[in-house]
Amino acid sequence: MANTVHAFDFLDMDATSIPSVCVIFGRDAFLRGLAAEKIRDAVLGDDPDVPYGKLAGNLVTWVDVADEVSTVSLFGASGRRLAIVEDADPFVTRYRDELEGFLEKKRPGGVLVLLVEKWAANTRLYKKCNEVGLQVQCNPPEKKAGKKTLLDMDGLSKWFVRRAKEEHHAKLNAGAAHLLVELLGTELGLIDQEIARLALFVEPHDAINEDLVREQVHGGQLQEIWHLVDAAVEGKTAEALNQLDRLFQAGEKPQKLYGQIAWSLRRFAAATRIYQRARRRGDAVSLRDALKEAGFPNWPKALEEAQRRLLALGQIRGGRLYRQLLELDMSLKGSHSQEARGRLALEKMIVSFSKAMDPPRATAQR
């Protein structure tokens, strides 16, 4: 396995033997997160409670990293320590010589994983890691067309068809996968979350098809709604209301917007409920664990942002979200079914998030 592979190929591999140094590089944070999770499971096993070092590349020193991977772990089936350096580009710049020396020696104990965006193929570090380590390339797949390098739409669509079946238990038509890429671009985490949402619209034996994608997915508009929800839960009321106004100016109706907004908010509601129930049972649970169980994408940057927004929302408001969404749904179908009153109802919901609430206390996770 001591070579450089694309993330799609690595995720399909039976990763039973992980070398001491792994570099996960490329533009797509979603793929980087999936690759890091696979390495973590291969080194530590499937138990999510096994501790490991998760280090910030702009803060951690080489001494900290070397100490993290040099000792034998008391946890996990393999006894190996795991240190993942996130956003490691500045770390690599500072400690390139130390990393080269680390690769020269056999390190049977721990595993060092670097998550970087840039990883130049003409450096000694790249070439040495390609010989003795593992390098996972996390850019959207490309193909040659004469002298040009183009996005491999067919390869990307086929991967999402497989992932929809394996991860979301949904059948995704190839044409629908292709259309999702055309509408949403190459932000793979966004496409994956949209597949999870579309799966809720189909019966178990039916497929997500092009008609459903055209009806439910609106490309840039979808991202506007996500930004609207993010601004609302962070208490940025004016920004959220401005984005809502732009959507109304574009001709959107309150009932349709509610469905898309509610889908995002329900995940915050679910995470709050999961966290509160675990705490009442006396279980030690982190906010990140609750967010993952609630359906947020399991990659570091997305979880970090979701945790920050959940803390800003607060567990009192988060605990009331389900009821608030139900009441809003009923009003949009009844007393606020007219467009002007429906708009007022959505605006009131956004304003309600601006009230300061006590955030839930998170359980630290290394």
Side-chain angles (χ1 to χ4, degrees), residues 14 96 116 134 138 229 273 289 291:
D14 183 16
R96 185 173 294 273
V116 296
L134 168 67
C138 295
V229 171
R273 182 170 291 183
D289 291 335
L291 289 162

Side-chain angles (χ1 to χ4, degrees), residues 105-360:
K105 302 175 183 178
K106 292 186 177 180
R107 305 277 180 174
V111 175
L112 171 61
V113 180
L114 303 175
L115 273 65
V116 296
E117 288 193 23
K118 297 179 180 179
W119 191 244
N122 60 352
T123 64
R124 289 181 308 202
L125 192 54
Y126 181 103
K127 294 172 182 177
K128 188 62 182 178
C129 191
N130 187 51
E131 293 175 8
V132 301
L134 168 67
Q135 301 184 136
V136 184
Q137 193 255 86
C138 295
N139 292 324
E142 297 176 336
K143 63 179 181 180
K144 289 289 185 180
K147 295 182 179 180
K148 296 182 179 180
T149 300
L150 304 175
L151 176 68
D152 184 359
M153 288 284 288
D154 290 337
L156 186 55
S157 299
K158 288 177 181 177
W159 185 75
F160 272 118
V161 169
R162 293 198 307 272
R163 181 166 173 82
K165 180 180 179 180
E166 295 169 0
E167 297 296 326
H168 304 300
H169 310 292
K171 183 178 180 181
L172 176 67
N173 286 350
H178 200 285
L179 183 57
L180 280 168
V181 177
E182 288 182 353
L183 290 172
L184 300 177
T186 56
E187 191 172 340
L188 306 194
L190 178 63
I191 296 173
D192 187 70
Q193 289 191 55
E194 191 60 10
I195 292 171
R197 186 179 73 87
L198 291 171
L200 302 176
F201 289 86
V202 297
E203 297 295 331
H205 299 293
D206 294 336
I208 299 170
N209 57 32
E210 294 96 317
D211 290 339
L212 181 62
V213 171
R214 290 190 186 96
E215 178 185 343
Q216 294 293 330
V217 180
H218 302 278
Q221 177 195 302
L222 179 66
Q223 295 189 46
E224 273 205 52
I225 290 173
W226 283 25
H227 293 154
L228 184 158
V229 171
D230 292 343
V233 298
E234 290 177 15
K236 300 175 182 177
T237 307
E239 181 181 336
L241 289 174
N242 285 335
Q243 289 175 334
L244 182 64
D245 180 64
R246 285 197 294 269
L247 291 167
F248 281 126
Q249 292 291 337
E252 294 299 326
K253 304 300 180 184
Q255 289 79 3
K256 186 174 182 179
L257 288 176
Y258 165 80
Q260 295 168 330
I261 292 170
W263 182 80
S264 293
L265 288 174
R266 284 193 189 101
R267 292 185 303 167
F268 285 105
T272 303
R273 182 170 291 183
I274 291 166
Y275 179 84
Q276 290 176 333
R277 286 178 174 174
R279 300 288 288 182
R280 283 197 293 268
R281 293 194 304 265
D283 297 339
V285 62
S286 69
L287 284 181
R288 286 195 173 211
D289 291 335
L291 289 162
K292 285 189 285 186
E293 189 175 340
F296 283 87
N298 187 16
W299 43 288
K301 185 176 180 181
L303 286 175
E304 180 181 339
E305 291 176 350
Q307 178 172 296
R308 174 170 53 81
R309 287 165 186 143
L310 185 58
L311 286 167
L313 180 64
Q315 64 175 308
I316 297 176
R317 178 60 61 187
R320 293 174 179 170
L321 257 180
Y322 275 130
R323 182 172 183 82
Q324 187 178 9
L325 290 171
L326 176 61
E327 291 173 349
L328 179 56
D329 184 35
M330 293 175 64
S331 69
L332 288 172
K333 294 174 180 175
S335 61
H336 288 66
S337 58
Q338 293 182 353
E339 185 170 339
R341 292 182 63 79
R343 173 172 180 161
L344 178 62
L346 286 174
E347 290 173 342
K348 284 183 176 180
M349 180 185 68
I350 289 173
V351 171
S352 72
F353 292 133
S354 66
K355 299 176 181 178
M357 296 292 176
D358 293 330

